[in-house]
Amino acid sequence: MPPTRQNQRRPLFSLNDHTTSNASNFGALSREKAPGQQAECRCSTMAVTLFLLLVLALPPAPSAVALTAEGLALLAFKEAATEDPYQALSRWSESDADPCHWPGITCANVSSSSSSPSPSPPRVVALAMAGKNISGYIPSELGSLLFLRRLSLHGNRLAGAIPSSLSNASSLHSIYLYGNRLTGGLPAAALCDLPRLQILDVSRNALSGQIPLDLRNCRSLQRLVLAGNAFSGEVPAGVWPEMAGLQQLDLSSNNLNGSIPPDLGELPRLAGTLNLSHNRFSGPVPPELGRLPATVALDLRFNNLSGAIPQTGSLASQGPTAFLNNPGLCGYPLQVPCRAVPPPTTSPAPPATTAPFASTGVASHDHQPIKTSLIALISVADAAGVALVGIILVYVYWKVKDRNDGRRRRAAGKDTDDDGDSSTKSGLCSCMLWRRSGSSDESSTDDEEAGGGDSKYNSGGTAGGEEGELVAIDRGFRVELDDLLRSSAYVLGKGGKGIVYKVVVANGTTPVAVRRLGGGGGGADRCKEFAAEARAVGRIRHPNVVRLRAYYWSADEKLVVTDFVGNGNLAAALRALQCANVITFEFNPLTSVSSK
């Protein structure tokens, strides 16, 4: 074969420097064959060369793929998990180079700089493995997730301490670790270094120690829930004024003691419930808590607080459930009167050296037995007192009985009287039976048909005007004053316009609301004004206006009887409280009306 032909074929076999020696031998043998076979060999050589180039261009094997730093940090959490009963971490694998595809991981495009010509790859912004019963601990490597915003590991069985390295994840704004078995103290110094931290919920763990003073550095915190742990000691003062943006605070079910810090009242944005229950707080309720917004509901139950409950600001609108199980508390709204400590009635005894003979005489007198005449005198006085009380009770009984009989007779006579003669009615004053001068029988009939006139069914009262009268606005309301007074009453609320009771009348089938408005003094003119206003309100028929049934006026009491409207009251609706939380107790507060 001519050498010039060999020189022309040599560059064809040198296209790939990585060809094997077998391919070179194959090319050397092909040069010695016939021209027809040489063309065939040339095509085979080109195919082998192209195959080798394709193999070199393929990506490396999966075992050689390198995970990012975020993937390695997440795999550290998987390695820290000792038990995974639901296999929630089974798909976290080194063979998957992109952790954004792993369950419980959320990624987002985070641009580090606006001048970057190409978008940055997605970064891990949320780790959510809640309610998976994962056992283990929280590794410190999670702090290397620089773009992590939400860490949700609640509802597991994680133990150990909260790693302080979480402060390196500078984008964190929500940490949910409640419902685990975490121990140790709260690393507030590290967590409060997070500039965007807004939610910290570590409740229902086994954290211990004192509440750290470093919490005052969490100035952007909005929700702080430390309930259900073993924190002890006093709550530090000076923390809460620095956390002006705090909206929820729950320190319940711990072992906190000491007094309640007054600066808790300096949380202007607090909402919902300030829960300090199930601790060992002592001392009085700070009046400064009245500075809290009116929408805040206090929960101070199961502590050792004592003293009178201040009636300042929002404290005056709290219900009785806020102060239950504090044996030393008294005052409204607990219905426990505060008894003042009486001053000492005896002075200290003089020194024995000043008058030894006088002290001897006193001592001999103190040891003398009580005389029989004195005992008899005391017995007679006791018997006379008991007899007097019995006479008073018998007199009251017959007096009330006679008045009831007379009222029934008058009521029977009024039912048969159609002309509505006002001269047969009795009451405190003529205003209870007052009609506008010049009004005809026709106008009175119109008023009664409209439901606004006084019903002829009245009860109580004497001609002398010493007692009041229950005037029925609605003709369908047929209840006597004594029946109303003997019915069971339940306190519904107390306000600037008096106390409201729920009273069940008509054999326990008809509930009504009775409002006590205080004394009815002011003379006949004031009585007429009250009666006119009551009749005007009684004529109103509107779905949003409670219907007035009756009213009562006497020198000592004013009562207004309306329909009872269920579903709680306005204060409970504003504070989002359930009606079941209202403590009701049975008593007869209206009996004071009959006694006056």
Side-chain angles (χ1 to χ4, degrees):
M1 214 179 297
T4 58
R5 197 168 184 86
Q6 295 177 358
N7 295 334
Q8 292 176 358
R9 295 190 186 122
R10 187 174 296 113
L12 180 63
F13 301 103
S14 62
L15 291 175
N16 192 338
D17 296 337
H18 299 283
T19 55
T20 61
S21 59
N22 293 333
S24 301
N25 296 335
F26 177 80
L29 294 174
S30 64
R31 288 194 294 269
E32 298 176 359
K33 296 184 180 181
Q37 296 177 349
Q38 293 176 0
E40 183 179 356
C41 293
R42 190 183 310 115
C43 293
S44 299
T45 305
M46 292 180 62
V48 172
T49 305
L50 292 176
F51 174 74
L52 294 175
L53 290 174
L54 181 61
V55 170
L56 293 175
L58 288 175
S63 60
V65 176
L67 284 173
T68 62
E70 292 181 339
L72 294 175
L74 294 174
L75 287 180
F77 176 69
K78 180 180 180 180
E79 293 296 328
T82 57
E83 292 184 11
D84 185 10
Y86 298 131
Q87 301 296 319
L89 306 175
S90 60
R91 293 175 55 187
W92 290 21
S93 175
E94 297 178 355
S95 60
D96 190 354
D98 189 4
C100 296
H101 297 159
W102 296 355
I105 302 301
T106 303
C107 296
N109 291 323
V110 180
S111 58
S112 57
S113 62
S114 58
S115 61
S116 178
S118 60
S120 59
R123 309 301 293 268
V124 176
V125 296
L127 169 57
M129 277 293 163
K132 305 298 183 182
N133 283 336
I134 299 174
S135 300
Y137 63 94
I138 302 176
S140 59
E141 286 81 357
L142 292 183
S144 61
L145 301 175
L146 301 180
F147 296 95
L148 186 65
R149 302 172 184 172
R150 179 186 178 93
L151 179 61
S152 181
L153 300 177
H154 60 87
N156 289 290
R157 293 180 293 175
L158 300 174
I162 301 175
S164 301
S165 59
L166 289 179
S167 61
N168 297 327
S170 57
S171 298
L172 266 176
H173 65 74
S174 300
I175 299 178
Y176 298 94
L177 301 178
Y178 60 90
N180 283 284
R181 301 174 181 177
L182 301 174
T183 57
L186 181 66
L191 296 179
C192 291
D193 285 340
L194 297 170
R196 299 179 179 87
L197 185 61
Q198 298 179 358
I199 300 175
L200 178 60
D201 192 342
V202 294
S203 59
R204 291 189 285 119
N205 281 283
L207 300 176
S208 59
Q210 294 186 344
I211 295 181
L213 185 62
D214 294 326
L215 276 176
R216 60 184 177 183
N217 297 326
C218 295
R219 292 180 173 86
S220 60
L221 203 61
Q222 297 179 3
R223 292 178 55 190
L224 177 61
V225 185
L226 306 179
N229 284 283
F231 290 110
S232 59
E234 297 185 2
V235 178
V239 174
W240 317 110
E242 302 294 331
M243 306 170 69
L246 197 63
Q247 300 177 8
Q248 180 184 1
L249 177 61
D250 191 346
L251 304 178
S252 62
S253 300
N254 282 283
N255 295 322
L256 301 173
N257 54 32
S259 59
I260 298 177
D263 54 9
L264 280 175
E266 301 181 20
L267 295 174
R269 297 187 181 179
L270 200 65
T273 301
L274 174 59
N275 198 341
L276 304 177
S277 63
H278 293 86
N279 282 287
R280 293 183 294 175
F281 288 114
S282 59
V285 178
E288 289 80 3
L289 294 183
R291 302 175 185 173
L292 293 172
T295 56
V296 175
L298 287 177
D299 192 349
L300 305 178
R301 298 173 300 160
F302 295 95
N303 282 285
N304 297 321
L305 301 174
S306 59
I309 300 175
Q311 298 298 309
T312 59
S314 60
L315 284 173
S317 61
Q318 301 297 323
T321 55
F323 308 98
L324 293 180
N325 297 100
N326 286 277
L329 284 181
C330 61
Y332 183 82
L334 289 181
Q335 304 297 332
V336 178
C338 295
R339 297 178 175 85
V341 178
T345 57
T346 59
S347 58
T353 56
T354 56
F357 56 90
S359 60
T360 304
V362 172
S364 61
H365 178 74
D366 290 341
H367 287 84
Q368 290 181 356
I370 301 177
K371 296 181 180 181
T372 306
S373 58
L374 182 59
I375 297 177
L377 181 61
I378 294 175
S379 301
V380 171
D382 292 341
V386 172
L388 181 61
V389 171
I391 294 172
I392 293 175
L393 292 177
V394 172
Y395 174 80
V396 171
Y397 169 79
W398 287 108
K399 187 71 175 178
V400 172
K401 188 176 184 301
D402 293 340
R403 185 175 58 186
N404 292 340
D405 295 339
R407 184 180 294 109
R408 291 190 184 95
R409 288 192 296 270
R410 287 194 299 272
K414 292 173 184 177
D415 289 340
T416 59
D417 186 9
D418 294 332
D419 59 356
D421 186 7
S422 61
S423 62
T424 61
K425 299 180 181 179
S426 59
L428 169 68
C429 56
S430 61
C431 75
M432 300 299 299
L433 314 173
W434 171 76
R435 296 292 183 271
R436 292 187 298 271
S437 59
S439 61
S440 62
D441 294 339
E442 182 180 358
S443 62
S444 300
T445 305
D446 294 340
D447 289 343
E448 290 183 357
E449 291 177 354
D454 291 351
S455 173
K456 296 179 181 179
Y457 178 79
N458 299 312
S459 60
T462 61
E466 293 297 328
E467 297 176 354
E469 184 176 21
L470 181 66
V471 181
I473 299 294
D474 189 355
R475 299 181 64 183
F477 184 79
R478 304 182 63 83
V479 178
E480 294 184 359
L481 178 62
D482 288 347
D483 295 336
L484 184 66
L485 298 179
R486 286 194 297 265
S487 301
S488 299
Y490 303 86
V491 177
L492 295 180
K494 177 181 179 183
K497 298 298 183 181
I499 305 177
V500 182
Y501 305 90
K502 175 185 175 183
V503 181
V504 181
V505 296
N507 296 327
T509 60
T510 304
V512 295
V514 180
R515 179 182 292 274
R516 298 183 66 177
L517 300 178
D525 294 337
R526 182 56 183 155
C527 181
K528 292 180 181 180
E529 292 176 4
F530 181 80
E533 291 175 359
R535 282 193 296 272
V537 174
R539 286 193 292 268
I540 298 175
R541 296 293 183 269
H542 192 275
N544 295 337
V545 177
V546 180
R547 189 171 181 179
L548 181 64
R549 294 292 189 178
Y551 64 92
Y552 174 91
W553 176 286
S554 71
D556 300 316
E557 282 291 336
K558 286 190 295 184
L559 303 179
V560 176
V561 182
T562 62
D563 284 344
F564 173 75
V565 180
N567 301 326
N569 51 36
L570 180 60
L574 291 176
R575 297 197 300 268
L577 294 178
Q578 298 180 353
C579 294
N581 290 338
V582 179
I583 303 297
T584 61
F585 49 92
E586 192 169 327
F587 71 111
N588 281 333
L590 300 182
T591 54
S592 61
V593 177
S594 61
S595 64
K596 290 180 180 179

